[in-house]
Amino acid sequence: MSIAKCGTWEEAYGVVLAVPGVPVDAAARRARRELARSLAVWQGAVRPRPGSDPSVEGWVVAWRAGLCVRASTAAKYDSHLRVHILPRFGRVRLSQLSRVEIKSWAGVLAESMHGSSVCSILALFCGILAEAVREGLMPFNPALRLRAASDRPQERAVAEPRQLRMLAARMPGGAGLMTVTAAYTGMRWGELAGLHRDSLVLASRRGYQPHGVAPFIRVDPLCGALHEVAGRLELGPPKTGAGARLVHLPPFLAEMLAAHLDQHPYPYVFTGGRGGWWHRSAFRRQVWLPALAGDPGHVDAARGQTLLGSMTFHGLRHSHKTWMAELHTSASLQDYRLGHLPRGVQGRYEHHTPGMILRLTDDLEHLWHASARFPEPATANPPERVPGGAMRQITN
């Protein structure tokens, strides 16, 4: 098949025949160029530089030097390389890599790992080898289009307002309020774990409502989220540019946060017992899982029952999205509130308004009061001050 006749990306790789009159997009042109280069290498028209058949480990060093991603993403890549890719292929020359060997290795990984994790590792390895192809070090990518069989996605547990209230009531200190805030705002874990008190604008504390709508939380574009990189906690930007936003609060939540801050001496809103940032794993182990499991010995039978057993903290974000859909919230406001980029024609032309925000906060207020038969979550316990008032990073 002639490369010049390829009309689609799939066609460039010999998957389908050309369709006369169909325009060639940018992806197809890139695919044709890569295919032409591969064929030229095989035919001797393009020769890799002398001595340029490095080992996978040697090429990874050069590839890593040019990597420009977030620190958390770089840490994930380094982990995949250190634990999985380099132990198996580090000393193998690029010219000796075999698609069958890579596929077999992926199958071994899949026996002991979640399908999504194997896909992530394969995607990284494929990307690294694709760069080697572009550098002329390989004629083709042996990992191209290799994908592990993904596990069938399980139905994610979504909390009802009453279940959420019960769950939060089982948690100590401000952890319950953090859970309620996550469910009624849709904010991400890092945005809440790193939330500074100066990012809260609460009318009940300041006597006015800026922007004339409702109390809100401001997610800062530079330091609006807490990130954990190689076990170290640090503040940084939210997950995406759209994550920098104002998240408006229903009145009940603004009042609860104001009461919490009145007796909370630390700069950050949701902390452990001594004012330190929460590690996500510590919160899950010490607070989240015990609350889901319940206390069989509790005098209140409802507190002894298992509640939302498969739910994760991220499930609170799914719950908020589901509640907004049930309340017929506009798609533009849903995307903005969750920190998502608008999508499609609707995302481009539909915009949220103050009226939409007020209707949503009123509806969320109603949801909260409709679940009032269950006790409210505890706010802060009597705090244990850090000497000198300084913040310390601790594992709770």
Side-chain angles (χ1 to χ4, degrees), residues 24 29 39 67 143 181 215 225 249 276 281 284 347 393:
V24 178
R29 287 194 293 271
L39 292 175
L67 188 64
T181 304
L249 307 173
S281 58
R284 172 178 168 80
Q393 178 183 314

Side-chain angles (χ1 to χ4, degrees), residues 20-37:
V22 176
V24 178
D25 57 16
R29 287 194 293 271
R30 288 194 300 270
R32 289 207 306 274
R33 286 196 297 269
E34 291 186 7
L35 181 58
R37 184 177 182 84

Side-chain angles (χ1 to χ4, degrees), residues 84 88 101-113 118 148:
H84 302 290
R88 174 60 182 84
E101 285 185 296
I102 297 175
K103 192 173 183 179
S104 175
W105 165 72
V108 173
L109 292 180
E111 293 176 358
S112 58
M113 299 178 64
V118 179

Side-chain angles (χ1 to χ4, degrees), residues 287-306:
V287 177
W288 186 259
L289 293 180
L292 291 178
D295 181 6
H298 200 279
V299 293
D300 185 351
R303 285 180 176 254
Q305 299 174 354
T306 301

Side-chain angles (χ1 to χ4, degrees), residues 127-143:
I128 292 172
L129 297 182
E131 288 297 310
V133 171
R134 296 186 183 101
E135 285 292 315
L137 304 178
M138 303 178 70
F140 63 93
N141 185 349

Side-chain angles (χ1 to χ4, degrees), residues 81-255:
L81 288 166
R82 183 180 65 254
V83 177
H84 302 290
I85 297 175
L86 293 182
R88 174 60 182 84
F89 296 105
R91 297 185 178 182
V92 179
R93 297 286 177 182
L94 292 178
S95 61
Q96 298 173 340
L97 286 172
S98 162
R99 183 178 180 86
V100 173
E101 285 185 296
I102 297 175
K103 192 173 183 179
S104 175
W105 165 72
V108 173
L109 292 180
E111 293 176 358
S112 58
M113 299 178 64
H114 195 276
S116 60
S117 299
V118 179
C119 286
S120 177
I121 296 168
L122 276 176
L124 173 61
F125 197 22
C126 182
I128 292 172
L129 297 182
E131 288 297 310
V133 171
R134 296 186 183 101
E135 285 292 315
L137 304 178
M138 303 178 70
F140 63 93
N141 185 349
L144 186 67
R145 295 184 179 179
L146 273 184
R147 293 291 182 270
S150 297
D151 300 325
R152 183 177 180 179
Q154 297 181 349
E155 187 70 21
R156 187 177 292 271
V158 174
E160 297 178 0
R162 288 183 176 180
Q163 293 174 315
L164 181 279
R165 193 160 185 157
M166 292 175 63
L167 180 66
R170 297 177 177 185
M171 297 181 178
L177 180 56
M178 183 180 182
T179 299
V180 171
T181 304
Y184 279 85
T185 63
M187 294 175 66
R188 298 179 174 93
W189 161 266
E191 295 168 353
L192 290 170
L195 182 62
H196 196 279
R197 62 169 59 232
D198 290 344
S199 298
L200 274 68
V201 178
L202 306 176
S204 58
R205 292 175 61 81
R206 302 200 178 186
Y208 70 96
Q209 294 181 350
H211 303 276
V213 180
F216 61 84
I217 295 173
R218 184 191 305 275
V219 182
D220 190 271
L222 299 179
C223 57
L226 185 68
H227 301 277
E228 184 168 354
V229 181
R232 185 183 70 257
L233 297 176
E234 58 185 31
L235 291 174
K239 183 175 182 179
T240 65
R245 64 200 188 280
L246 304 182
V247 184
H248 293 88
L249 307 173
F252 85 88
L253 186 53
E255 293 172 3

